[in-house]
């Protein structure tokens, strides 16, 4: 998806601010994320940890869930900030959730250092499983079947 440089900069700043709200008493790894909807609205999220570690929620998913709960159904871009010297890409679960709402999104990962990652979701999660696979499955065809 084509996102302007000013919009990406705004998204990055929102992700950095969101990290300040992280609840991370176990890892002390404060992550912030921001998603841009096709309507131009920005939604933020932070990681929320839990003593039962399996119940933690990543910043990217929190931001997407905020957008969805506000009525959005698509995501155009995702920015992720981590307090590290080099950028960190979204985890596998977050990549899958991003795919559900924006298979063609631009992903920007920033950190405290000068490096950043700017990539597509397809580069991070090639051959992703999504809603179209379920529709094909209902039609009696094999999802992602290869012809040899």
């Amino acid at each position: 998806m084509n996102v302007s440089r000013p919009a990406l900069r705004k998204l990055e700043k929102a992700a950095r601010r969101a990290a300040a709200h992280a609840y991370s008493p176990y890892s002390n790894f404060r992550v912030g994320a921001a998603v841009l909807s096709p309507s131009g609205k920005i939604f933020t999220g932070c990681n929320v940890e839990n003593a039962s570690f399996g119940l933690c929620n990543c910043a990217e998913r929190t931001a997407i869930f905020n957008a969805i709960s506000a009525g959005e159904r698509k995501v155009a871009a995702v920015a992720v900030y981590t307090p590290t010297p080099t950028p960190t890409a979204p985890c596998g679960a977050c990549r899958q959730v991003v795919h559900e709402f924006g298979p063609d999104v631009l992903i920007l990962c920033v950190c405290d250092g000068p490096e950043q990652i700017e990539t597509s979701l397809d580069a991070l999660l090639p051959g992703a499983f999504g809603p179209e696979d379920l529709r094909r499955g209902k039609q009696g065809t094999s999802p992602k079947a290869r012809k040899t």
Side-chain angles (χ1 to χ4, degrees), residues 117-135:
I117 298 169
E118 188 174 316
T119 189
S120 68
L121 180 62
D122 193 48
L124 293 176
L125 190 65
F129 179 83
E132 67 282 354
D133 295 297
L134 293 175
R135 285 190 286 276

Side-chain angles (χ1 to χ4, degrees), residues 73-134:
R73 290 296 176 261
K74 295 285 181 192
V75 172
V78 177
V80 183
Y81 162 76
T82 53
T84 54
T86 57
T88 304
C91 74
C94 288
R95 293 174 193 196
Q96 185 63 47
V97 171
V98 170
H99 182 268
E100 181 79 15
F101 299 104
D104 300 319
V105 301
L106 173 69
I107 297 181
L108 175 66
C109 306
V110 297
C111 59
D112 290 337
E115 294 178 46
Q116 62 180 5
I117 298 169
E118 188 174 316
T119 189
S120 68
L121 180 62
D122 193 48
L124 293 176
L125 190 65
F129 179 83
E132 67 282 354
D133 295 297
L134 293 175

